């Protein structure tokens, strides 16, 4: 048995100032319409939680089920920071594979405050996320800047390389009606934007956004009975954790494990995420037609390309400069426009990545369509060791 993506839906990203439920319901209805499925035909709904929108955000499955109209469907809610969407997809997929349902709806949406993310309210001196703000004043962009500075030192990346990532993604985003930022930019504009966390400038760092995404998943047998074509199969979902000792600093921690007595694992955490998905799907990085990667910053897109095995360490800049990661290149990266064009709407992000893979594999992406796609990869990461990788195939 395999699981297919029967329908996708999104609410445009932006700063709309409306309750997150509106975005999620709009995305869910769009996904149901795309799948040709009535809400009352859904056996199971999974809501990816948001932690900045009160109690309804903590029980997102029930919140969306009520907003769509109580139907008696079974539900689940889950939170894994930026990996919440992948966790939600995995829960629905597993239930289908277990034969416990045929049709599942997965929804994630967020309404975010202005500016960078701050810790959830309250005093929690045993919480690393609270501590890094209170002891170090380390916002997310501070970590992004550290990663970027490391890349410059180890691999020789330049400010111009980082700016070129933004230029590529802004061009793709300009072609995507769901993106928040739809204006192409130049290298000069990126390099002239204000410095935020050296070496990263304002245009190097993704914004925080409102938005929603949803997918309808179904068993392949159900899809075939309905005559659905083409079939986009969800071939893998990897939600792996780091292996001890984790020798690379990961947000929100401010120390690594010691590897004085035990050597670091063969693959660091981010590389292990994609590797686990490849193993499950029975494909390799050489088979990938397109990739949606976690570009919280321009520099991180380059890191993720290497972690996903799309090129050897230190070679991502070369692929970028050669146009191989642009739409029309050998392996387009973030043809949706990425977080550079969308911004973060945390519980929706991994679901939106799957929406893009599905749209591309169906050949429905319009002017940003990738040539003859067969395998799509999405990689992401949530705080505290939540891995997130999805592989969709046609």
């Amino acid at each position: 048995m395999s699981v297919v993506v029967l329908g996708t839906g999104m609410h445009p990203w932006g700063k709309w100032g409306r309750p997150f439920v509106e975005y999620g319901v709009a995305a869910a209805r769009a996904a149901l319409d795309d799948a040709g499925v009535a809400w009352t035909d859904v056996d199971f709904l999974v809501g990816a939680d948001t932690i900045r929108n009160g109690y309804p955000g903590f029980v997102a499955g029930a919140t969306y089920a009520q907003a769509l109209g109580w139907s008696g469907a079974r539900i689940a809610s889950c939170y894994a920071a930026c990996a919440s969407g992948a966790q939600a997809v995995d829960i629905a997929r597993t239930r289908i594979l277990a034969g416990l349902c045929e049709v599942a709806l997965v929804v994630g949406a967020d309404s975010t405050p202005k500016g960078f993310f701050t810790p959830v309210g309250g005093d929690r001196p045993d919480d690393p996320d609270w501590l890094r703000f209170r002891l170090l004043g380390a916002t997310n962009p501070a970590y992004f800047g550290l990663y970027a500075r490391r890349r410059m030192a180890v691999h020789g990346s330049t400010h111009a390389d980082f700016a070129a990532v933004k230029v590529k993604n802004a061009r793709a985003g300009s072609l995507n009606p769901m993106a928040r930022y739809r204006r192409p930019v130049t290298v000069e504009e990126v390099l002239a934007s204000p410095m935020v966390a050296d070496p990263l400038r304002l245009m190097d760092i993704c914004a925080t956004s409102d938005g929603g995404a949803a997918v309808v998943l179904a068993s392949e047998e159900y899809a075939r009975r309905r005559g659905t074509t083409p079939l986009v199969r969800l071939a893998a979902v990897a939600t792996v954790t780091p292996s001890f000792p984790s020798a690379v600093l990961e947000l929100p921690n401010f120390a690594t494990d010691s590897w004085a007595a035990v050597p670091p694992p063969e693959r660091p955490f981010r590389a292990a995420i994609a590797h686990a998905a490849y193993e499950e799907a029975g494909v390799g990085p050489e088979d990938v037609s397109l990739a949606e990667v976690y570009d919280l910053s321009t520099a991180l897109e380059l890191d993720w390309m290497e972690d996903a095995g799309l090129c050897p360490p230190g070679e991502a800049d070369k692929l970028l400069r050669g146009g191989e990661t642009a739409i029309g290149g050998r392996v387009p990266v973030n043809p949706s426009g990425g977080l550079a064009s969308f911004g973060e709407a945390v519980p929706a992000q991994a679901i939106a990545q799957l929406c893009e893979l599905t749209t591309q594999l169906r050949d429905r992406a319009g002017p940003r369509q990738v040539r003859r796609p067969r395998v799509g990869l999405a990689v992401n990461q949530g705080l505290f060791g939540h891995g997130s990788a999805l592989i969709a195939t046609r």
Side-chain angles (χ1 to χ4, degrees):
M1 178 187 290
S2 62
V3 173
V4 302
V5 183
L6 205 62
T8 67
M10 294 178 67
H11 182 286
W13 259 237
K15 279 289 189 185
W16 309 116
R18 303 296 300 165
F20 79 95
V21 183
E22 289 189 18
Y23 313 142
V25 168
R29 287 177 175 156
L32 291 167
D33 287 347
D34 185 43
V37 171
W39 158 235
T40 50
D41 293 330
V42 172
D43 305 311
F44 187 57
L45 182 151
V46 190
D49 292 343
T50 168
I51 62 172
R52 296 177 180 84
N53 292 276
Y55 215 120
F58 298 138
V59 291
T63 298
Y64 295 131
Q66 182 177 19
L68 289 165
W70 293 124
S71 66
R74 297 178 185 238
I75 60 169
S77 303
C78 67
Y79 185 72
C82 293
S84 297
Q87 295 273 355
V89 167
D90 196 33
I91 292 168
R93 172 177 176 256
T94 301
R95 197 166 184 89
I96 294 170
L97 290 173
L100 298 175
C101 74
E102 281 195 307
V103 183
L105 174 64
V106 182
V107 188
D110 211 354
S111 181
T112 62
K114 184 179 180 180
F116 54 72
F117 290 132
T118 58
V120 176
D123 291 338
R124 297 180 309 282
D126 59 345
D127 175 356
D129 191 53
W130 184 90
L131 288 170
R132 54 114 171 185
F133 281 95
R134 301 302 174 90
L135 295 182
L136 303 180
T139 63
N140 289 5
Y143 282 81
F144 306 158
L146 290 172
Y147 299 144
R149 182 60 66 187
R150 179 183 185 278
R151 180 167 188 88
M152 296 176 85
V154 174
H155 298 307
S157 298
T158 67
H159 293 86
D161 291 329
F162 300 157
V165 173
K166 174 66 174 182
V167 170
K168 171 186 71 70
N169 289 346
R171 181 181 182 280
S174 73
L175 305 174
N176 191 336
M178 293 295 150
R180 175 179 176 181
Y181 300 104
R182 300 196 58 201
R183 182 179 70 85
V185 300
T186 65
V187 168
E188 292 73 23
E189 285 179 287
V190 179
L191 295 177
S193 63
M195 184 67 72
V196 175
D198 194 13
L200 298 178
R201 297 180 175 275
L202 185 62
M203 286 190 178
D204 286 308
I205 298 170
C206 77
T208 60
S209 292
D210 301 350
V215 292
V216 176
L217 304 181
S219 66
E220 184 168 338
E221 290 79 3
Y222 180 91
R224 288 190 179 280
R225 288 200 307 269
R226 293 170 51 86
T228 303
T229 57
L231 292 179
V232 175
R233 295 173 178 85
L234 186 54
V237 182
T239 57
V240 298
T241 55
S243 297
F244 183 86
S246 183
V248 177
L249 185 68
E250 295 287 358
L251 200 164
N253 297 317
F254 38 88
T256 66
D257 296 331
S258 170
W259 61 96
V262 181
E266 176 187 357
R267 292 184 183 85
F269 176 42
R270 292 181 201 164
I273 299 170
H275 180 76
Y278 291 140
E279 282 196 329
E280 184 178 334
V283 300
E286 67 280 1
D287 300 310
V288 172
S289 308
L290 70 144
E292 287 286 312
V293 308
Y294 192 40
D295 61 319
L296 291 167
S297 78
T298 51
L300 279 170
E301 173 168 311
L302 300 172
D303 286 344
W304 276 106
M305 287 168 53
E306 295 164 7
D307 291 329
L310 302 179
C311 60
E315 296 293 313
D317 310 80
K318 184 185 299 183
L319 263 65
L320 171 71
R321 289 192 293 264
E324 295 187 57
T325 60
I327 296 172
R330 178 176 64 82
V331 55
V333 174
N334 285 332
S336 68
L339 295 180
S341 299
F342 278 77
E344 286 193 90
V346 171
Q349 286 163 200
I351 303 171
Q353 288 182 321
L354 181 56
C355 288
E356 179 65 17
L357 298 186
T358 302
T359 300
Q360 292 284 353
L361 290 167
R362 287 169 157 183
D363 291 322
R364 296 181 184 174
R368 65 179 196 285
Q369 179 62 50
V370 172
R371 293 193 300 259
R372 298 183 297 279
R374 307 299 298 180
V375 177
L377 168 72
V379 286
N380 196 332
Q381 177 185 354
L383 296 186
F384 298 103
H386 281 105
S388 165
L390 308 170
I391 291 179
T393 61
R394 174 176 175 176

